[in-house]
Amino acid sequence: MEASIQIRDLPFAKNRILSLTILFLFISFHFLLPLGLLFGSFPVWAAWVFAAALGPVSYTFWNLIHESIHGNFSNERKQNHFWGRFLCIVFGAPYSVLKCSHLMHHKFNREPGDRIEFYDPNSSKPRWFQSLNYYFRITVATYIFEVGTGLLLSLPSRWTKPITDRFIEYPIEEGFFKWIYRPEILEELRKDIFWILAFYIPSFWLFKNNWPLLVFLLLSRSFFISFFDNAYHYGKEINDKNSAFNLTLPKTVSAFFLHFNYHRIHHRFPGCSWDRLPKQMEVCGETWDKSFMKQAWSQWGGLLEPLDGKISK
């Protein structure tokens, strides 16, 4: 008799409702809003308020995609994959790039290449460049990397391989490109890039002279994702795959961000769905480390001196 596969208690219905709500908001921004501006039925000031409000929603958007990456969106693999790719098309970056880069983060967490806040004296890059790279990474680079890498890798591999080889300095980068260059992954990536361009090019065209609104949304998305994601690790122990901060937020805000602030819990139990993270924290006896806002703000302190061993700031 074959052993049955354990069915986890995942919030699939909630995830679908959240996905459809977020998709409606962003599709409305990309297509209904510019039409309203074009015909004068929607005031420009309200459009800017709408764009500003969608900045933090973009972080919830990413966290929902994140559930699919870890297989926590649905118990059915096809549903996980479908919703992940669908959401990523509207998000503007291929699912394969987000999935691979995030899983590499888990695999190489706090190892060289994934602890960007520490000055690396062994790197060929000078300190001023590492500092510039750090601030770029915590402000906009995460989303720009996801979009740019997707666009680059959609080109023929014989053109892109010499370029990507120049960016490989650490095992995390080597692992990423080794995985992403698999033929079946590139095939899916190129299909997703086609649909992303089919979504975004008409949107830019519809905005016409109001294109700064769309650019503002994308830069805002870049900032929230880059700045918030790095905050959970800034100054934490190195060489520990579970190293991350549990950061306090008001309950409603924590739920709005799908409890991503329970971050060490997530690293310890990546198969735990977002709605069960608070309970998981209680069960395993974990504690809070810092305030989310204070920890996020501390990132402006810049590069830290290199550390030996497991030392926390």
Side-chain angles (χ1 to χ4, degrees):
M1 182 177 178
E2 293 184 3
S4 59
I5 300 174
Q6 184 179 2
I7 302 299
R8 294 183 294 156
D9 184 19
L10 298 178
F12 182 41
K14 288 181 182 178
N15 291 336
R16 280 187 301 179
I17 293 171
L18 283 169
S19 297
L20 292 172
T21 301
I22 285 175
L23 289 170
F24 173 76
L25 287 172
F26 283 96
I27 291 172
S28 296
F29 177 88
H30 283 282
F31 295 99
L32 298 183
L33 176 63
L35 288 174
L37 293 170
L38 187 64
F39 293 108
S41 58
F42 200 83
V44 175
W45 69 265
W48 281 100
V49 171
F50 188 23
L54 288 182
V57 177
S58 290
Y59 193 57
T60 304
F61 198 172
W62 150 239
N63 292 339
L64 195 55
I65 294 168
H66 170 264
E67 289 298 292
S68 177
I69 288 172
H70 284 288
N72 297 331
F73 193 100
S74 167
N75 275 302
E76 294 184 26
R77 187 174 180 179
K78 287 184 178 179
Q79 288 286 345
N80 262 302
H81 200 65
F82 167 79
W83 283 101
R85 289 183 69 185
F86 187 14
L87 288 165
C88 279
I89 287 168
V90 178
F91 190 72
Y95 179 63
S96 54
V97 173
L98 271 70
K99 180 175 182 176
C100 182
S101 60
H102 185 70
L103 294 181
M104 288 299 116
H105 160 62
H106 274 265
K107 183 176 181 179
F108 295 98
N109 181 37
R110 310 309 289 153
E111 294 185 17
D114 196 58
R115 50 192 194 215
I116 60 170
E117 77 276 28
F118 287 114
Y119 168 61
D120 184 359
N122 298 318
S123 174
S124 59
K125 300 180 179 67
R127 188 185 186 105
W128 68 265
F129 186 89
Q130 291 185 46
S131 181
L132 188 65
N133 176 65
Y134 164 74
Y135 283 113
F136 178 59
R137 291 276 293 271
I138 71 166
T139 50
V140 294
T142 300
Y143 183 65
I144 289 176
F145 166 81
E146 293 162 352
V147 175
T149 301
L151 290 170
L152 176 67
L153 294 180
S154 66
L155 301 173
S157 298
R158 65 180 181 276
W159 297 355
T160 64
K161 201 69 169 63
I163 298 173
T164 58
D165 284 346
R166 295 175 62 184
F167 288 93
I168 296 176
E169 184 176 6
Y170 299 108
I172 187 173
E173 297 154 350
E174 182 180 2
F176 173 83
F177 286 112
K178 183 178 181 181
W179 189 88
I180 206 78
Y181 268 113
R182 289 160 57 188
E184 67 274 19
I185 302 299
L186 283 177
E187 182 182 0
E188 178 185 291
L189 181 150
R190 288 163 179 156
K191 289 178 182 177
D192 288 352
I193 284 291
F194 170 82
W195 290 113
I196 288 168
L197 293 175
F199 182 89
Y200 275 86
I201 291 175
S203 178
F204 266 102
W205 181 82
L206 282 174
F207 271 97
K208 299 188 183 300
N209 292 335
N210 292 303
W211 61 266
L213 272 166
L214 183 48
V215 172
F216 171 77
L217 172 66
L218 296 178
L219 288 176
S220 177
R221 176 180 299 166
S222 301
F223 174 76
F224 277 99
I225 292 168
S226 303
F227 195 67
F228 282 6
D229 257 15
N230 188 69
Y232 305 114
H233 300 281
Y234 181 75
K236 200 67 173 70
E237 298 97 341
I238 62 173
N239 299 325
D240 182 350
K241 290 180 172 56
N242 294 327
S243 178
F245 286 114
N246 292 324
L247 301 175
T248 59
L249 277 172
K251 287 184 178 180
T252 52
V253 179
S254 177
F256 179 74
F257 290 140
L258 305 189
H259 299 308
F260 217 54
N261 53 308
Y262 290 75
H263 210 69
R264 187 165 59 253
I265 299 296
H266 166 62
H267 270 267
R268 289 183 61 191
F269 307 97
C272 182
S273 59
W274 67 269
D275 65 325
R276 297 181 64 85
L277 287 171
K279 183 64 176 178
Q280 184 65 47
M281 182 174 184
E282 181 184 332
V283 168
C284 66
E286 274 278 10
T287 57
W288 295 110
D289 298 303
K290 301 182 179 183
S291 155
F292 180 92
M293 295 309 297
K294 287 183 179 179
Q295 171 65 8
W297 184 259
S298 72
Q299 295 178 97
W300 296 118
L303 283 184
L304 303 173
E305 291 304 312
L307 299 176
D308 294 321
K310 298 182 179 181
I311 304 172
S312 178
K313 186 185 177 202

